[in-house]
């Protein structure tokens, strides 16, 4: 199961980079989902013992997917509201 | 235990009821607050008399099921949450711009907080944190168009933090096969635990808005409507702090290394300095109070170095542990009082610019008094709850030979005096302000909260004794 876990870790790194360094808001939401998929892949791969799947990580993944979906939905809703109100699809960097 | 179950379930039903009957939202919220207060009183008596109260949902114990346990720490935080939420509800009922979503979101935030306080399962805590994040971000967004960008910024920080935390949880489960903290404490440490704990701690630091991950907090808290800011600043960062405390003190006390303690000490000290200096430079009251939260969260991080260092037996660790919790509670009450004061002044003067607040102490003396009493707690002057917190932390700083941390605590108090002096100076200016009247009943709300924070210092021995119920062994033995 190591290839899956390694792929998961790579997806986490890619997603994290996009989430932090990205500017377009929609792109950052997608990066969040890439990172989330990486975590779920890791969870699934690490829950594989001697040819048998451990059910606990699978339950965690399902819960995690629901949570990530809700987070994405809220994020997309806020981005749409921001674009309608201001026409912007970026966050300005004037607050620190 | 019915009282604990009631406290956990009531806010969720309240949120659903608000959606069903939006016209009665304020009444539903008031009913939930009153009933929760009653259940809390029963729970406090039970815990004070018989120790921690546990619920095993479905009768399944850990590790198969998820245990919920209300110890002294959890119940104290629940009590602070009831007080702050009830006060925010009282002010929101008289704030014209508050809509139906606010009421449902307040109660969702509340139920998420309660779940986090009593959780002992790493994944259950993750779910609680996410519910809290989604509700809190939406609460910020109720502040209108200008709050959308701060809400999004907050959401991106918070989502990154939760995935880092979840990645850590995945590694912990892979190494140990358990998620329950009590079982984790008994398991020997594995090689991957260092990475796992680093990921979880980083995620929680982002959620707690510890320097340098604090950039989202001031704009978000300043943009939200004042009753929402009170909840966001007083309660929401405390939830991830409680998880951080439970993680390091309950679950893996032996894993704390010198470099971890040093890192947290430096981040805490920088937060105190950075938040304090930036608070000095703001012109709006809500911004000042929000930057003050960044600084005050810095103190909380000092609990880790204060409880660590030295040999095996560390008598000062208990003082540091209790001091940090005292600080979290007193800060929560005082900070909520300040945001509610800001809300009342916005009602009266139409803005929270310091220039527009000039002379308002004469017009609204009770609110100015509330702000003053809350400021005394934030500065850590005796005999407030903030003083007890600082006293406990200072004592352990000297006892453990970490004088630098005592200096950080003192300097933070001086900075707080500085940034809180400016609003006070404006309030007490000798000019006759132009303002709309605000009812005295409403003015009493922040005053009550501020007096509660003050009373924590007067009755500190009772609070201290209560907090020791179910205290983890590491709070005595040190990290």
């Amino acid at each position: 199961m190591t290839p899956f876990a390694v792929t998961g870790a790579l997806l986490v790194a890619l997603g994290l980079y996009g989430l932090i360094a990205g500017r377009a808001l929609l792109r950052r939401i997608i990066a969040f989902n890439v990172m989330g998929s990486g975590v779920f892949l890791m969870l699934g791969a690490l829950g594989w013992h001697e040819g048998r799947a451990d059910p606990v990580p699978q339950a965690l993944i399902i819960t995690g997917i629901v949570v990530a979906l809700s987070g994405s939905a809220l994020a997309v809703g806020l981005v749409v509201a921001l674009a309608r109100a201001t026409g912007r699809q970026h966050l300005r960097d004037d607050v620190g | 235990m019915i009282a604990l179950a009631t406290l956990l379930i009531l806010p969720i039903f309240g949120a659903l009821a608000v959606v069903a009957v939006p016209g009665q939202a304020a009444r539903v919220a008031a009913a939930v607050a009153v009933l929760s207060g009653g259940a809390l009183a029963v729970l406090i008596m039970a815990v004070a008399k018989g120790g921690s109260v546990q619920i095993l949902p479905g009768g399944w114990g850990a590790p198969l099921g998820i245990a919920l346990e209300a110890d002294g720490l959890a119940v104290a935080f629940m009590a602070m949450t009831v007080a702050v939420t009830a006060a925010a509800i009282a002010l929101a009922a008289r704030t014209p711009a508050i809509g139906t979503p606010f009421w449902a979101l307040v109660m969702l935030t509340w139920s998420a907080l309660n779940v986090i306080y009593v959780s002992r399962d790493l994944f259950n805590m993750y779910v609680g944190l996410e519910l809290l994040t989604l509700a809190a971000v939406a609460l910020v967004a109720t502040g209108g168009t200008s709050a959308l960008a701060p809400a999004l910024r907050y959401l991106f920080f918070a989502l990154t933090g939760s995935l880092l935390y979840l990645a850590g949880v995945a590694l912990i489960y892979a190494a140990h096969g358990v998620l329950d903290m009590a079982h984790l404490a008994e398991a020997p440490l594995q090689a991957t635990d260092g990475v796992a704990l680093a990921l979880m701690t980083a995620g929680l630091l982002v959620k707690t808005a510890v320097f340098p991950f604090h950039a989202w907090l001031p704009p978000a808290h300043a943009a939200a409507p004042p009753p929402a800011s009170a909840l966001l600043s007083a309660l929401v960062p405390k939830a991830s702090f409680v998880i951080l405390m439970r993680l390091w003190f309950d679950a893996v006390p032996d894993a704390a290394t010198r470099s971890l303690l040093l890192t947290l000490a430096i981040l805490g000290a920088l937060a105190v300095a950075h938040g304090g200096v930036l608070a000095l430079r703001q012109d709006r009251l809500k911004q000042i109070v929000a930057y003050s939260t960044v600084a005050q969260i810095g103190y909380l991080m000092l609990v880790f170095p204060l409880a660590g260092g030295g040999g095996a037996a560390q008598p000062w660790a208990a003082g540091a542990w209790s001091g940090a919790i005292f600080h979290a509670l007193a800060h929560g009450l005082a900070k909520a009082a300040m945001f509610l004061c800001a809300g009342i002044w916005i009602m009266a003067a139409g803005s929270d610019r310091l220039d527009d607040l000039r002379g308002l102490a004469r017009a609204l003396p009770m609110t100015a008094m509330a702000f003053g009493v809350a400021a005394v707690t934030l500065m850590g002057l005796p005999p407030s709850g903030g003083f007890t917190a600082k006293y406990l932390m200072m004592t352990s700083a000297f006892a453990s030979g970490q004088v630098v941390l005592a200096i950080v605590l003192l300097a933070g108090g001086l900075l707080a005096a500085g940034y809180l002096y400016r609003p006070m100076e404006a309030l007490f200016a000798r000019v006759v302000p132009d303002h709309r009247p605000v009812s005295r009943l409403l003015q009493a709300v922040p005053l009550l909260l501020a007096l509660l924070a003050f009373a924590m210092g007067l009755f500190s021995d009772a609070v201290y004794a209560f907090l020791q119920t179910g205290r983890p062994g590491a709070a005595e033995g040190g990290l």
Side-chain angles (χ1 to χ4, degrees):
Chain A
M1 284 303 109
T2 321
F4 290 104
V6 172
T7 313
L10 282 175
L11 284 178
V12 170
L14 263 175
L16 184 60
Y17 175 76
L19 198 48
I20 294 172
R23 279 188 52 77
L25 289 170
L26 211 52
R27 194 183 272 256
R28 291 175 75 182
I29 296 173
I30 294 169
F32 161 71
N33 279 283
V34 169
M35 185 176 169
S37 306
V39 174
F40 301 144
L41 193 57
M42 261 167 63
L43 254 174
L46 297 172
W48 183 271
H49 299 296
E50 295 131 22
R52 283 183 53 240
D54 180 348
V56 173
Q58 299 190 356
L60 303 190
I61 292 171
I62 291 174
T63 315
I65 287 174
V66 173
V67 169
L69 177 73
S70 324
S72 307
L74 178 61
V76 171
L78 285 174
V79 170
V80 169
L82 183 74
R84 283 208 182 123
T86 63
R88 284 194 287 128
Q89 291 169 38
H90 303 275
L91 290 177
R92 259 176 297 163
D93 295 321
D94 52 0
V95 257
Chain B
M1 180 71 195
I2 293 171
L4 177 55
T6 311
L7 272 169
L8 293 174
I9 291 168
L10 260 181
I12 292 195
F13 277 107
L16 293 175
V18 165
V19 177
V21 276
Q24 303 291 320
R27 291 218 178 108
V28 171
V32 170
V34 170
L35 290 172
S36 292
L40 180 76
V42 174
L43 189 62
I44 289 178
M45 304 280 259
V47 171
K49 221 183 261 169
S52 303
V53 172
Q54 224 190 20
I55 294 187
L56 303 173
W60 299 97
L64 203 55
I66 293 166
L68 304 173
E69 189 183 330
D71 54 2
L73 189 163
V75 177
F77 273 87
M78 280 181 159
M80 193 245 304
T81 306
V82 167
V84 169
T85 315
I89 285 172
L91 191 79
R94 294 276 173 274
T95 308
I98 295 292
T100 314
F102 170 86
W103 298 102
L105 292 168
V106 162
M107 278 180 279
L108 284 178
T109 308
W110 192 357
S111 59
L113 288 164
N114 281 346
V115 164
I116 292 171
Y117 298 150
V118 298
S119 281
R120 293 295 186 284
D121 180 281
L122 294 178
F123 190 77
N124 204 39
M125 288 174 158
Y126 164 75
V127 176
L129 265 181
E130 284 298 56
L131 178 58
L132 181 64
T133 298
L134 296 180
V137 169
L139 261 184
V140 173
T142 58
T145 312
S146 62
L148 287 173
L152 262 172
R153 187 181 300 274
Y154 178 13
L155 183 60
F156 280 120
F157 269 97
L159 289 177
T160 314
S162 33
L163 282 183
L164 290 174
Y165 175 82
L166 186 62
V169 173
L171 291 178
I172 289 275
Y173 184 80
H176 300 279
V178 286
L179 293 166
D180 182 70
M181 286 189 160
H183 286 80
L184 204 57
E186 287 162 12
L189 289 173
Q190 303 288 335
T192 52
D193 284 356
V195 182
L197 291 169
L199 284 169
M200 291 167 79
T201 304
L204 292 171
L205 291 183
V206 174
K207 293 245 181 199
T208 317
V210 175
F211 183 91
F213 307 118
H214 65 286
W216 59 268
L217 186 146
H221 289 189
S229 310
L231 290 180
L232 293 167
S233 230
L235 305 174
V236 174
K238 306 291 160 57
S240 36
F241 173 68
V242 166
I243 299 183
L244 206 56
M245 289 274 277
R246 291 220 194 271
L247 179 65
W248 286 105
F249 281 92
D250 291 55
V252 289
D254 300 329
T257 56
R258 277 200 71 77
S259 53
L260 168 92
L261 299 178
L262 187 65
T263 310
L264 290 176
I266 292 171
L267 293 185
L270 287 174
V272 170
H274 184 77
V277 170
L278 281 177
L280 275 172
R281 293 171 46 191
Q282 306 302 317
D283 294 319
R284 283 175 173 271
L285 181 63
K286 279 170 77 187
Q287 293 270 11
I288 294 177
V289 183
Y291 274 104
S292 150
T293 299
V294 173
Q296 302 278 330
I297 284 170
Y299 292 140
L300 294 178
M301 290 305 120
L302 299 185
V303 62
F304 299 100
L306 284 177
Q314 290 154 12
W316 59 80
W321 186 83
S322 308
I325 293 169
F326 250 90
H327 183 266
L329 297 172
H331 168 255
L333 293 169
K335 192 47 67 76
M338 284 187 169
F339 270 117
L340 296 183
C341 286
I344 287 176
W345 287 322
I346 290 174
M347 280 181 205
S351 123
D352 66 332
R353 284 191 181 285
L354 292 186
D355 290 340
D356 297 332
L357 299 183
R358 290 179 66 77
L360 269 183
R362 192 171 301 185
L364 304 168
M366 272 169 86
T367 312
M369 162 116 183
F371 193 86
V373 175
V376 165
T377 289
L378 281 199
M379 289 182 238
L381 299 180
S384 64
F387 170 73
T388 313
K390 271 213 180 131
Y391 176 79
L392 287 167
M393 294 178 88
M394 296 271 276
T395 316
S396 51
F398 285 118
S400 61
Q402 306 182 78
V403 185
V404 184
L405 295 181
I407 295 172
V408 171
L409 287 164
L410 278 178
L414 281 177
L415 273 172
Y419 61 68
L420 292 172
Y421 171 75
R422 292 179 57 235
M424 296 291 266
E425 184 204 14
L427 287 168
F428 285 92
R430 287 176 176 275
V431 290
V432 180
D434 175 31
H435 75 286
R436 284 181 294 279
V438 178
S439 83
R440 282 186 181 251
L441 208 59
L442 207 55
Q443 287 194 57
V445 171
L447 186 59
L448 277 176
L449 274 187
L451 288 176
L452 264 180
F454 201 73
M456 269 190 67
L458 291 178
F459 302 103
S460 52
D461 49 348
V463 183
Y464 187 92
F466 186 77
L467 284 177
Q468 310 309 313
T469 314
R471 188 182 69 180
E476 214 160 345
L479 287 178

